[in-house]
């Protein structure tokens, strides 16, 4: 090893002679040096004995002189003298040590142990008596003293020692030891008296329970009940004391259950639970639930389970009072209990109590008003009030209380910041169910005047519609449109009302007024409804055509052009005046056929308009619709014309402004755009494609090169070069034709 480092192993091959771990351990044990052992001395006569004792005493005296406070040295000195049968000397040394430290428990125990080993029982008794007199709070000395007396079969003496000990009011283990001693000698009455004295010193619930259990085990059932009753009288009826005595109630009920006195046990449980808050009696409720599941009826078991869940909900709402989801669950629990009670035929008093519990939960829940003036905090809270009002109306039939609930919540909501239309509408419908129509209208009118809202108008309108008050509905629609003239849905609903009332003049005027508004939320749905009205209800093609003309001027959207063209080519019902003249209602309704030529004109106008605007994708969509129309109504030439206008997908390269790189994109290439941009090349390409089609139609011609013959050796060199140039030109023409095709291939 060099520089404190491990030596390098050069040869890692296994040794020729192997050794086991057992051999290693054996060799290590053999090479250990033997420990030093003092030589044994043999005493031959009394002179040597006296010399040995004198030398040892001198050593011990020197040691205790140097370490006077070391109890270990004194104990070794005294025990050595006792081993030499010098008990007087040993006692003298222990007494000297007690003068040094009279409160050393270990010293007293060693002293008494020496006396007991030498069978000096009386000396040991005297020592224990002195020890417990000097140190009465040390339980170990008392236990040793009692054990000595009982070991000597001196039961009265042990009892006397216990009595002296009990005067100092020791801990529960000492009392329990005294009682067990009396039980060992079948002194049950004495043990019962000791329990009574123990209760007087330390009246804890567990001590009462132990006493009652002792009386039950020895067959004194009346005495056991008397103990429990005395305990309950001692603790009283106050909430704090009853909470402290839960163990007593539980043990008392369990004892009655073991004795098959189920009614007694049930009364005890209910007595305790009625005087305790639900949040502090979880363990007692659990025991009561278990008892009812074993010995109760179905209704009692359900009520017990409800009580257990009440405790859970009470804990949750005590932690967060604004957790409205927990309040909803709590309310449903109480309402379910009320319905179950009614189904099982409960008494009037029980139903009233259950109703009051539900109301109490509702009142406590709505008392937690959301903080701040933000609507999102109030959404769940409002439903608590609505559920409360419905409960009073449906379950209890207390309509005055339900009305008061609605009024309270309406006064509580800050309507200047936000409002809830559902709240106003449900309150109004409640008044209608009470046949108080005036109050309902007044309430909704107040809501619209205070905080107008779309859902409020819709609810009020639906209410009047249900009552068939159409004049009021018209008035409400007018107010609605004054509040929000940009709402296309409102204009449509108003016109649909007039259509349903068959006042088509008013409906048409409403549509005209709606589409003439400067701004609309969704104008396309209003125009569509207006057009559908003219087509389906009026059957007026000229009016509809004028509407489309106005719409394409305003919008110019490709879908408008498509719809316009399809309208011209489709059939519509007869005008209303002609329909009214027909008397046969069961006959199939007559229609007026469309004009495909007008439809094609509209398609062409739309195509040109979109072309001017440079909208290629919209042009392609219009051509697809035009093609579908021609497939259904047109001839082959018309279809071929449209197909010739269809675009192809080409590739276009351009330089990206951001990256500076050449980017290749796909784009739609229309034949007419290519013709206008490059008229000469387009004419040439058109002729090439015509020749290609004619060659493909010839018999025996197949593929692009049909019509060409392979070159032979008789053809001169120049002719071969001409053929190659012709093929190159043809391939170039084909590549151009893929980009700009007049027939769409």
């Amino acid at each position: 090893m060099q520089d404190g480092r491990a030596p390098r192993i050069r040869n890692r091959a296994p040794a020729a002679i192997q050794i086991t771990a057992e051999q290693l351990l054996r060799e290590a044990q053999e090479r250990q040096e033997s420990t030093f052992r003092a030589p044994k001395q043999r005493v031959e006569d009394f002179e040597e004995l006296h010399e040995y004792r004198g030398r040892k005493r001198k050593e011990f005296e020197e040691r205790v002189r140097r370490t006077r406070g070391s109890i270990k040295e004194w104990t070794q000195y005294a025990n050595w003298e006792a081993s030499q049968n010098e008990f007087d000397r040993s006692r003298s040394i222990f007494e000297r040590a007690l003068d040094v430290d009279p409160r050393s428990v270990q010293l007293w125990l060693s002293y008494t142990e020496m006396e007991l080993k030498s069978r000096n029982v009386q000396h040991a008794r005297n020592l224990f008596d002195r020890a417990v007199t000097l140190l009465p709070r040390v339980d170990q000395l008392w236990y040793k003293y009692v054990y000595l007396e009982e070991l000597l079969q001196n039961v009265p003496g042990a009892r006397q020692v216990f009595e002296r000990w009990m005067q100092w009011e020791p801990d529960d283990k000492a009392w329990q030891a005294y009682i067990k001693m009396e039980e060992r000698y079948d002194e049950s009455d004495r043990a019962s008296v000791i329990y009574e004295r123990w209760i007087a010193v330390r009246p804890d619930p567990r001590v009462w329970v132990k006493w009652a259990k002792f009386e039950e085990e020895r067959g004194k059932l009346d005495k056991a009940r008397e103990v429990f009753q005395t305990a309950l009288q001692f603790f009283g009826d106050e909430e704090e004391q009853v909470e402290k005595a839960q163990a007593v109630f539980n043990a008392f009920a369990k004892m009655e259950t073991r004795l098959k006195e189920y009614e007694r046990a049930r009364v005890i449980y209910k007595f305790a639970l009625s005087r305790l808050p639900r949040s502090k009696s979880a363990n007692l409720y659990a025991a009561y639930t278990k008892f009812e599941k074993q010995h109760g009826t179905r209704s009692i078991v359900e009520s017990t389970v409800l009580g257990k869940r009440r405790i859970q909900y009470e804990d949750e709402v005590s932690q967060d009072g604004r957790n409205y989801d927990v309040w909803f669950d709590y309310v449903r629990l109480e309402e379910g209990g009320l319905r179950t009670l009614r189904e099982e035929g409960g008494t009037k008093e029980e139903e009233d109590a259950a109703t009051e519990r539900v109301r109490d939960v509702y009142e406590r829940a709505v008392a937690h008003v959301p903080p701040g003036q933000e609507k999102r905090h109030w959404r769940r809270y409002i439903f608590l009030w609505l559920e409360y009002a419905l409960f009073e109306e449906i379950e209890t039939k207390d309509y005055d209380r339900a009305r008061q609930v609605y009024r309270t919540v309406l006064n509580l909501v800050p309507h200047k910041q936000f409002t809830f239309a559902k709240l106003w509408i449900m309150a109004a419908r409640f008044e209608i169910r009470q046949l108080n129509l005036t109050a309902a209208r007044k309430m909704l009118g107040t809501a619209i005047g205070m905080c107008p809202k779309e859902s409020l108008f819709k609810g009020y309108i639906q209410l009047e519609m249900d009552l068939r008050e159409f004049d009021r509905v018209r008035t409400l629609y007018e107010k609605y449109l004054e509040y929000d003239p940009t709402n296309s849905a409102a204009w449509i609903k108003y016109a649909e009302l007039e259509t349903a009332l068959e006042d088509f003049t008013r409906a048409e005027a409403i549509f005209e007024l709606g589409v003439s508004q400067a701004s609309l939320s969704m104008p396309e749905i209003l125009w569509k409804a207006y057009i559908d009205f003219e087509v389906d209800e009026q059957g007026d093609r000229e009016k509809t055509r004028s509407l489309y003309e106005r719409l394409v001027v305003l919008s110019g959207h490709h879908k408008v052009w498509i719809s316009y063209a399809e309208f011209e080519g489709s059939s519509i019902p007869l005008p209303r005046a002609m329909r009214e003249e027909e008397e046969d209602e069961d006959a199939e309704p007559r229609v007026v056929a469309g004009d495909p030529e007008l439809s094609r004109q509209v398609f062409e106008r739309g195509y040109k308009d979109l072309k001017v605007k440079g909208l290629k994708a919209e042009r392609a969509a219009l051509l697809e619709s035009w093609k579908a129309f021609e497939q259904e109504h047109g001839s082959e030439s018309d279809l071929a014309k449209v197909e010739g206008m269809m675009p192809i997908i080409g590739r276009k390269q351009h330089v990206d402004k951001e990256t500076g790189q050449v980017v290749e994109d796909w784009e739609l290439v229309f034949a007419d755009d290519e013709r206008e941009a490059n008229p000469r090349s387009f004419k040439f390409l058109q002729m090439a494609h015509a020749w290609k089609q004619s060659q493909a139609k010839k018999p025996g011609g197949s593929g692009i090169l049909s019509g060409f013959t392979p070159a032979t050796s008789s053809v001169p060199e120049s002719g071969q070069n001409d053929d190659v140039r012709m093929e190159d030109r043809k391939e170039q023409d084909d590549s151009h034709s893929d980009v700009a095709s007049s027939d769409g291939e």
Side-chain angles (χ1 to χ4, degrees):
M1 185 184 298
Q2 297 178 356
D3 301 334
R5 292 179 295 178
R8 302 177 68 181
I9 301 174
R10 298 176 181 270
N11 186 6
R12 297 181 179 273
I17 301 175
Q18 297 292 319
I19 186 171
T20 63
E22 183 181 358
Q23 291 173 330
L24 290 173
L25 293 174
R26 185 166 60 250
E27 289 180 4
Q29 182 68 23
E30 290 174 354
R31 293 180 182 180
Q32 286 183 356
E33 296 181 358
S34 60
T35 58
F36 173 77
R37 294 181 181 180
K40 293 184 179 181
Q41 297 181 358
R42 292 184 62 183
V43 179
E44 298 293 341
D45 53 13
F46 285 104
E47 185 177 355
E48 291 182 4
L49 179 61
H50 288 309
E51 182 183 358
Y52 167 72
R53 287 178 176 176
R55 188 171 64 253
K56 292 292 289 185
R57 288 190 182 109
K58 185 177 180 181
E59 291 177 1
F60 278 120
E61 288 292 341
E62 185 66 22
R63 286 159 61 184
V64 298
R65 184 182 65 78
R66 288 197 306 266
T67 57
R68 181 176 176 81
S70 176
I71 302 301
K72 181 180 180 181
E73 299 293 341
W74 289 102
T75 304
Q76 289 179 354
Y77 189 8
N79 289 334
W80 180 82
E81 291 290 354
S83 66
Q84 300 297 320
N85 293 328
E86 295 287 346
F87 298 112
D88 291 335
R89 285 180 176 274
S90 179
R91 293 189 188 101
S92 176
I93 295 168
F94 273 120
E95 293 295 338
R96 288 167 60 192
L98 289 174
D99 290 339
V100 175
D101 188 3
R103 295 187 175 276
S104 175
V105 177
Q106 187 60 38
L107 187 58
W108 284 104
L109 293 176
S110 300
Y111 195 179
T112 55
E113 185 179 359
M114 184 273 294
E115 295 290 357
L116 290 174
K117 284 182 178 180
S118 60
R119 298 181 182 278
N120 295 321
V121 177
Q122 194 60 40
H123 281 282
R125 281 175 174 167
N126 294 338
L127 286 175
F128 276 123
D129 188 80
R130 289 171 57 193
V132 298
T133 303
L134 183 63
L135 303 171
R137 293 296 183 186
V138 180
D139 294 340
Q140 190 176 7
L141 296 174
W142 289 104
Y143 282 121
K144 291 282 187 180
Y145 195 4
V146 170
Y147 177 72
L148 173 63
E149 295 295 345
E150 191 174 1
L151 189 64
L152 298 173
Q153 298 296 320
N154 186 12
V155 179
R159 190 176 290 118
Q160 186 178 2
V161 174
F162 267 120
E163 289 295 334
R164 289 177 58 191
W165 191 8
M166 297 303 110
Q167 291 178 3
W168 291 97
E169 298 181 1
D171 59 4
D172 295 341
K173 291 183 179 180
W175 291 96
Q176 197 69 33
Y178 192 7
I179 292 169
K180 287 184 177 180
M181 188 197 74
E182 297 293 355
E183 290 180 358
R184 283 196 295 271
Y185 297 102
D186 295 331
E187 294 289 345
S188 301
D189 294 336
R190 286 180 177 272
S192 181
V193 173
I194 296 170
Y195 269 117
E196 189 172 353
R197 291 169 57 192
W198 187 10
I199 288 293
V201 173
R202 195 168 287 105
D204 294 335
R206 55 189 180 81
V207 181
W208 288 100
V209 172
K210 287 183 178 180
W211 186 11
K213 188 175 181 180
F214 167 76
E215 298 294 348
E216 181 187 359
E217 289 177 352
R218 72 182 187 127
K220 298 287 185 178
L221 302 179
D222 295 337
K223 180 68 174 177
R225 288 194 179 98
E226 183 181 352
V227 171
F228 277 122
Q229 292 172 2
T230 306
L232 299 181
Q233 292 176 2
F234 172 79
F235 287 107
D237 295 341
E238 296 182 2
E239 178 182 327
E240 183 178 356
Q241 297 296 327
V242 173
E243 180 185 0
K244 186 178 179 181
Q246 285 190 59
V248 179
F249 284 104
N250 199 359
F252 194 5
K254 287 182 178 179
M255 186 193 75
E256 297 293 353
T257 305
R258 288 192 296 270
L259 299 176
K260 298 184 179 181
E261 294 287 348
Y262 303 125
E263 289 300 325
R264 283 176 175 265
R266 186 174 289 109
V267 169
I268 293 167
Y269 277 124
K270 290 184 177 180
F271 178 83
L273 294 174
S274 63
R275 284 161 175 76
L276 278 176
R278 296 167 184 172
S279 59
K280 298 181 180 180
S281 57
N283 295 332
L284 196 60
Y285 253 114
Y288 181 41
T289 304
K290 185 177 179 180
F291 165 77
E292 292 294 354
K293 286 180 179 179
Q294 293 176 347
H295 309 290
T297 60
R298 177 175 174 270
S299 59
I300 296 178
V301 171
E302 289 180 355
S303 63
T304 307
V305 173
L306 289 179
K308 189 175 181 180
R309 292 180 62 189
R310 285 190 191 104
I311 297 175
Q312 177 184 352
Y313 289 138
E314 286 291 342
D315 292 338
E316 293 182 7
V317 299
S318 62
Q319 296 174 4
D320 185 7
R322 292 190 175 90
N323 189 351
Y324 301 118
D325 293 332
V326 178
W327 284 113
F328 278 116
D329 295 338
Y330 197 177
V331 165
R332 293 190 187 100
L333 174 71
E334 297 293 351
E335 290 183 355
L338 176 61
R339 285 191 289 270
T340 302
L341 188 63
R342 288 176 177 174
E343 291 173 359
E344 295 180 355
T347 62
K348 179 67 175 175
E349 291 77 10
E350 292 176 344
E351 289 187 9
D352 292 343
T355 304
E356 288 300 322
R357 281 197 299 269
V358 177
R359 285 173 175 166
D360 178 64
V361 175
Y362 271 121
E363 291 292 340
R364 290 168 55 198
V366 299
H368 294 86
V369 182
Q373 301 294 323
E374 296 185 21
K375 187 174 182 178
R376 61 188 180 90
H377 295 150
W378 288 69
R379 294 186 186 277
R380 294 288 289 164
Y381 174 71
I382 290 301
F383 280 94
L384 279 173
W385 285 98
L386 297 178
E387 294 282 348
Y388 189 10
L390 292 175
F391 168 76
E392 295 292 349
E393 179 184 0
I394 298 173
E395 299 293 339
T396 64
K397 309 296 183 183
D398 192 344
Y399 304 116
D400 293 335
R401 193 180 182 93
R403 184 178 290 108
Q404 186 62 36
V405 170
Y406 280 120
R407 290 178 180 175
T408 304
V409 66
L410 287 175
N411 294 331
L412 183 64
V413 176
H415 299 288
K416 296 298 181 182
Q417 283 78 22
F418 56 85
T419 189
F420 294 93
K422 182 182 286 293
L423 192 61
W424 292 99
I425 293 171
M426 288 190 67
R429 289 192 174 275
F430 166 76
E431 295 294 348
I432 290 176
R433 287 192 293 272
Q434 305 307 312
L435 304 179
N436 194 353
L437 183 59
T438 304
R441 285 172 173 162
K442 182 178 180 181
M443 186 177 297
L444 289 176
T446 303
I448 291 175
M450 184 185 302
C451 44
K453 191 178 178 183
E454 181 180 358
S455 51
L456 269 176
F457 281 107
K458 289 181 179 179
Y460 197 180
I461 289 170
Q462 186 60 43
L463 178 66
E464 296 294 352
M465 286 286 290
D466 294 340
L467 297 174
R468 300 296 186 267
E469 294 286 346
F470 300 113
D471 292 336
R472 290 183 176 272
V473 174
R474 287 190 176 105
T475 304
L476 288 173
Y477 269 120
E478 292 173 3
K479 297 291 184 182
Y480 187 8
L481 293 173
E482 288 177 5
Y483 164 70
D484 186 11
T486 63
N487 194 333
S488 300
W491 290 102
I492 294 171
K493 290 292 183 182
Y494 192 8
E496 288 178 353
L497 169 69
E498 299 296 347
T499 304
L501 297 177
E502 297 186 355
D503 194 342
F504 302 105
T505 305
R506 288 179 63 93
E508 189 172 355
I510 292 169
F511 275 122
E512 277 295 333
L513 189 59
V515 297
S516 64
Q517 297 297 315
S519 62
L520 290 170
S521 56
M522 289 186 293
E524 63 275 6
I525 63 172
L526 182 58
W527 280 99
K528 184 178 184 304
Y530 192 6
I531 291 171
D532 292 341
F533 166 78
E534 293 294 344
V535 172
D536 298 334
E537 298 296 337
Q538 300 292 86
D540 191 345
R541 188 178 290 273
E542 291 298 327
K543 179 67 175 179
T544 308
R545 187 177 293 114
S546 66
L547 289 176
Y548 271 117
E549 292 293 339
R550 291 165 58 187
L551 185 56
V552 296
V553 172
L554 290 175
S555 173
H557 198 271
H558 71 283
K559 290 185 178 180
V560 177
W561 285 107
I562 294 171
S563 177
Y564 186 10
E566 290 176 349
F567 156 74
E568 292 291 358
S570 61
S571 302
I572 65 172
L574 288 173
R576 178 162 296 278
M578 298 178 63
R579 276 182 276 174
E580 292 177 353
E581 295 177 358
E582 296 182 357
E583 298 179 356
D584 190 4
E585 297 180 356
D586 297 334
E588 184 176 353
R590 295 169 58 190
V591 294
V592 178
D595 189 350
E597 190 61 32
L598 290 177
S599 180
R600 293 187 185 94
Q601 294 176 7
V602 174
F603 273 123
E604 289 179 359
R605 288 175 56 197
Y607 182 80
K608 292 178 181 179
D609 181 65
L610 295 174
K611 179 180 177 181
V612 171
K613 295 178 181 178
L615 303 175
K616 293 187 177 182
E618 287 76 2
R619 289 165 65 188
L622 186 138
L623 287 174
E624 288 291 341
S625 300
W626 192 358
K627 180 179 178 181
F629 174 79
E630 295 295 353
Q631 288 175 348
E632 183 178 357
H633 301 93
S635 61
E636 292 184 0
S637 60
D638 295 331
L639 181 60
K641 176 184 176 182
V642 177
E643 289 178 348
M645 298 171 66
M646 297 294 288
I648 62 173
I649 298 176
R651 290 178 295 181
K652 181 180 180 181
Q653 293 182 348
H654 65 90
V655 179
D656 192 355
K657 296 180 180 179
E658 296 182 358
T659 61
Q661 297 178 354
V662 178
V663 181
E664 189 176 54
D665 290 337
W666 296 93
E667 67 172 356
L668 295 174
V669 179
F670 290 86
D672 51 354
D673 292 345
E674 191 70 18
R675 181 173 58 249
E676 294 175 1
N678 303 304
R680 294 183 178 180
S681 62
F682 180 80
K683 184 68 174 177
F684 177 77
L685 292 174
Q686 190 176 18
M687 294 172 64
H689 274 278
W691 175 83
K692 174 184 173 182
Q693 291 179 358
S694 64
Q695 292 296 326
K697 293 179 181 179
K698 287 182 179 181
S702 62
I704 297 177
L705 298 179
S706 61
F708 287 90
T709 58
T712 61
S713 59
S714 62
V715 180
E717 184 73 15
S718 60
Q720 293 180 359
N721 293 335
D722 292 338
D723 292 340
V724 171
R725 285 195 297 270
M726 183 180 294
E727 289 179 3
D728 292 340
R729 187 181 299 112
K730 186 177 185 299
E731 290 176 359
Q732 183 178 3
D733 293 343
D734 289 342
S735 64
H736 283 290
S737 65
D738 289 339
V739 176
S741 175
S742 61
D743 56 3
E745 292 184 359

